[in-house]
Amino acid sequence: MTTAEATSAAARLTDEKVLVLDFGSQYAQLIARRVREQRVYCEIVRHSITAERVRELAPRGLILSGGPASVYESQAPKCDPELFRLGIPMLGICYGMQLACEVLGGRVTSAPAREYGRAALHITGFSELFEGLPAETEVWMSHGDQVTHVAGDFEPLAATHTCPIAAVKHATLPVYGLQFHPEVTHTPLGQRVLENFLLRVCGCQGRWQLGDFAQEAIQQIRQQVGARRVICGLSGGVDSSVVAALLYQAIGPQLSCILVDNGLLRKAEEETVIREFSNHFQTDLHVVKAEDRFLAALAGVTDPQEKRRRIGRAFIDCFADEAAKIEGAEFLAQGTLYPDVIESGAAADGPAATIKLHHNVGGLPEDLTFKLIEPLRDLFKDEVRRLGLQLGLPEDIVWRHPFPGPGLAVRCLGEVTRERLEHLREADAIVIEEIKAAGLYRQTSQTFAVLLPVQSVGVMGDARTYEDAIAIRSIDSEDFMTADWSRLPYELLARLSTRIINEVKGVNRVVYDISSKPPATIEWE
């Protein structure tokens, strides 16, 4: 059974499912998160999903996301018009509202005054969508087009100063539209609007919860694996640790964990993982020394996608070699998360754009001989952390900052060499040490160092230098689909710069990355 053929534990868990049709919005993932916060399971799918496929999935509701296009453009993304005839409650947000109104007889034009930022919304008509909201509330707008005319079957529900039709409801179909974004925190009562749509319009009861997910995932693993053996790649990060905990509860002694020391780990990583593993799991652990193998595979490679492909191949080769020593090993378990699936364009009904190849999604070779088990592929990072706590993992593992599957190779921009990795490893250790000493490790979501393929002139000890630059990246995020750069104290940044330049050989410059996601990604490669 391949990953695509397997039925996800989360999807099987409840009949209360909502689908978000993605029209290219930077907020599509945030919409899904907000729906799950109401304990309703949600998935992101392509905007072009057919009505027949939606009927098979049997969702309680559909949400049409925003998007950067204008609906009246010839190349604008559209949805299957048959969706409106399924009788499934539908909520269009921004572009989604404009599309729904256009399909059902309305007109959308470029607005005389674009509206970006906070606006006062005046509710003018009754709807279950606005149950419990005051007559005037603050919302977040982000649009240059607006609905200027609706067919007679539509009822305007709200307006702003520059947008006379800011919310609509169809008279006979369960179709609603919002010109504003209820999913962002800048709309203070937006979560109440989404709650009304899910509970009052869609009839959901909010029964989805992670505790049930864990039990369902454990049962599914037992059913899929039977009496055979599973290999789990252990990295020490929260994702692989939670996968190992799930597998351990599901199959116990049938689990063999493999730690590949690929030379791309953080400082003292191998010793830390072995110690934590021994303290919390009583199962078979194999440590593979493979630094030379990985460095040989990466020699001369600078393209980040090619790095990921070669690392994925080397990992599988290592697993295959070690698996030959483990009787009955047929399955490979990985800590693939929902953001990995979305960004890799690997979801069966998900958005098609590939942002990057993830080591545990697009980086694996096509001739994979193991059958994959990915029990977390429907969860966001914060959900994985909560699941880890429910499974009894200690907080120092659960709250550890994420580390990419390809390791330091995607933080060592340009060619990956033993010497450059050592410089990066030392700089990264200083960053983590100082962040923890400042009491900010739990307050930040991910903090690390990046070695740039850039050299610059410096002066050290009255001598001219021409050496490497280190970039420090620190972000705050709830779900790692969107992120903002951490506002670290200047005093801390000064200590980081001083220590790295003084203590790391070959570095004479330190910079701080102040890019948000989007438009940037969290990792540099």
Side-chain angles (χ1 to χ4, degrees):
M1 180 185 297
T2 66
T3 301
E5 294 168 341
T7 303
S8 75
R12 295 197 311 164
L13 186 60
T14 176
D15 59 352
E16 294 189 347
K17 179 194 301 181
V18 168
L19 302 179
V20 175
L21 276 66
D22 185 8
F23 290 89
S25 171
Q26 61 177 312
Y27 296 134
Q29 296 86 1
L30 186 57
I31 296 171
R33 283 290 300 113
R34 296 292 181 247
V35 172
R36 291 191 186 187
E37 287 173 5
Q38 297 296 329
R39 296 176 62 182
V40 175
Y41 181 67
C42 184
E43 289 183 356
I44 300 172
V45 299
R46 294 183 177 90
H47 64 81
S48 57
I49 188 171
T50 65
E52 180 181 359
R53 177 58 178 154
V54 169
R55 190 181 291 110
E56 292 173 357
L57 295 172
R60 289 291 187 93
L62 301 174
I63 298 179
L64 309 185
S65 84
S70 296
V71 296
Y72 46 78
E73 296 174 344
S74 59
Q75 300 300 316
K78 301 298 175 71
C79 64
D80 186 344
E82 293 298 318
L83 292 175
F84 295 90
R85 298 183 175 88
L86 295 178
I88 299 173
M90 184 180 295
L91 175 65
I93 297 176
C94 198
Y95 179 92
M97 167 181 160
Q98 297 165 12
L99 179 61
C101 289
E102 183 194 57
V103 171
L104 296 173
R107 185 168 65 250
V108 178
T109 61
S110 178
R114 296 186 300 173
E115 200 170 25
Y116 295 97
R118 291 179 174 85
L121 182 78
H122 302 273
I123 298 175
T124 59
F126 172 78
S127 168
E128 305 96 321
L129 215 56
F130 296 137
E131 186 73 28
L133 270 69
E136 181 175 316
T137 183
E138 187 177 87
V139 298
W140 183 263
M141 290 286 196
S142 180
H143 65 97
D145 299 328
Q146 61 182 232
V147 177
T148 54
H149 170 76
V150 289
D153 288 336
F154 271 108
E155 304 171 12
L157 298 175
T160 70
H161 178 68
T162 60
C163 183
I165 306 177
V168 293
K169 171 187 177 183
H170 197 277
T172 59
L173 299 175
V175 178
Y176 299 77
L178 302 173
Q179 185 57 67
F180 62 91
H181 289 272
E183 70 275 16
V184 301
T185 56
H186 302 305
T187 300
L189 297 179
Q191 191 69 338
R192 181 64 182 271
V193 175
L194 290 175
E195 178 186 2
N196 286 337
F197 174 70
L198 296 169
L199 304 188
R200 297 177 182 273
V201 178
C202 300
C204 296
Q205 298 181 30
R207 295 192 294 259
W208 188 73
Q209 53 186 337
L210 283 175
D212 295 336
F213 169 83
Q215 293 307 312
E216 177 71 13
I218 288 170
Q219 291 301 320
Q220 184 175 338
I221 290 168
R222 288 173 178 166
Q223 183 179 23
Q224 183 180 0
V225 172
R228 291 163 291 184
R229 181 165 289 277
V230 178
I231 295 174
C232 177
L234 198 65
S235 68
V238 59
D239 304 335
S240 66
S241 296
V242 172
V243 169
L246 269 175
L247 289 166
Y248 185 65
Q249 291 196 20
I251 58 174
Q254 295 168 239
L255 172 64
S256 291
C257 290
I258 296 179
L259 169 63
V260 177
D261 182 0
N262 55 12
L264 307 173
L265 302 177
R266 289 171 285 200
K267 188 175 182 178
E269 187 86 1
E270 180 184 334
E271 296 85 350
T272 301
V273 172
I274 293 174
R275 182 176 64 252
E276 292 176 347
F277 181 89
S278 301
N279 289 339
H280 302 290
F281 302 101
Q282 301 298 321
T283 189
D284 189 33
L285 174 63
H286 298 247
V287 179
V288 180
K289 299 286 189 179
E291 179 180 13
D292 292 341
R293 186 174 192 168
F294 278 80
L295 290 181
L298 291 168
V301 178
T302 59
D303 179 71
Q305 300 290 63
E306 184 61 24
K307 285 182 184 178
R308 289 176 179 270
R309 290 189 185 94
R310 294 197 181 199
I311 290 168
R313 168 66 71 178
F315 260 106
I316 293 303
D317 288 345
C318 287
F319 273 113
D321 292 344
E322 196 63 27
K325 308 171 188 176
I326 304 172
E327 185 176 355
E330 295 186 23
F331 295 90
L332 171 61
Q334 295 192 133
T336 306
L337 305 189
Y338 199 39
D340 300 338
V341 175
I342 294 170
E343 290 188 346
S344 298
D349 295 300
T354 298
I355 296 174
K356 59 186 177 182
L357 289 180
H358 284 268
H359 153 65
N360 50 355
V361 184
L364 295 178
E366 295 181 0
D367 58 345
L368 180 68
T369 57
F370 298 107
K371 300 170 185 176
L372 284 180
I373 297 177
E374 297 175 314
L376 308 181
R377 67 181 282 118
D378 299 304
L379 302 185
F380 289 94
K381 175 68 75 171
D382 59 319
E383 294 171 325
V384 172
R385 294 192 193 280
R386 296 204 307 271
L387 180 61
L389 293 174
Q390 290 179 8
L391 293 170
L393 289 175
E395 290 195 1
D396 61 337
I397 292 180
V398 170
W399 291 105
R400 195 175 193 191
H401 284 188
F403 189 61
L408 295 180
V410 292
R411 295 177 180 174
C412 183
L413 277 59
E415 186 175 4
V416 179
T417 67
R418 200 182 307 270
E419 181 182 26
R420 298 190 78 225
L421 284 170
E422 192 56 37
H423 294 170
L424 174 58
R425 192 174 286 114
E426 291 299 323
D428 188 71
I430 291 172
V431 170
I432 298 302
E433 181 182 328
E434 288 292 342
I435 287 287
K436 288 181 176 179
L440 295 176
Y441 190 75
R442 284 283 296 272
Q443 280 66 47
T444 57
S445 301
Q446 191 168 354
T447 304
F448 55 91
V450 179
L451 180 61
L452 305 183
V454 175
Q455 291 188 314
S456 62
V457 174
V459 178
M460 300 176 74
D462 295 326
R464 177 187 183 275
T465 62
Y466 192 63
E467 296 180 328
D468 291 331
I470 286 285
I472 297 172
R473 177 77 157 142
S474 184
I475 58 98
D476 303 325
S477 178
E478 289 184 2
D479 51 31
F480 291 83
M481 296 305 303
T482 60
D484 196 10
W485 58 278
S486 305
R487 271 60 172 178
L488 298 181
Y490 289 154
E491 296 80 6
L492 174 58
L493 291 174
R495 284 199 306 276
L496 288 171
S497 177
T498 300
R499 283 199 60 191
I500 290 172
I501 291 174
N502 286 343
E503 299 176 30
V504 180
K505 184 181 178 182
V507 173
N508 68 356
R509 192 175 298 270
V510 174
V511 298
Y512 188 51
D513 183 349
I514 57 170
S515 309
S516 296
K517 176 187 179 181
T521 55
I522 294 173
E523 297 289 345
W524 278 49
E525 291 190 341

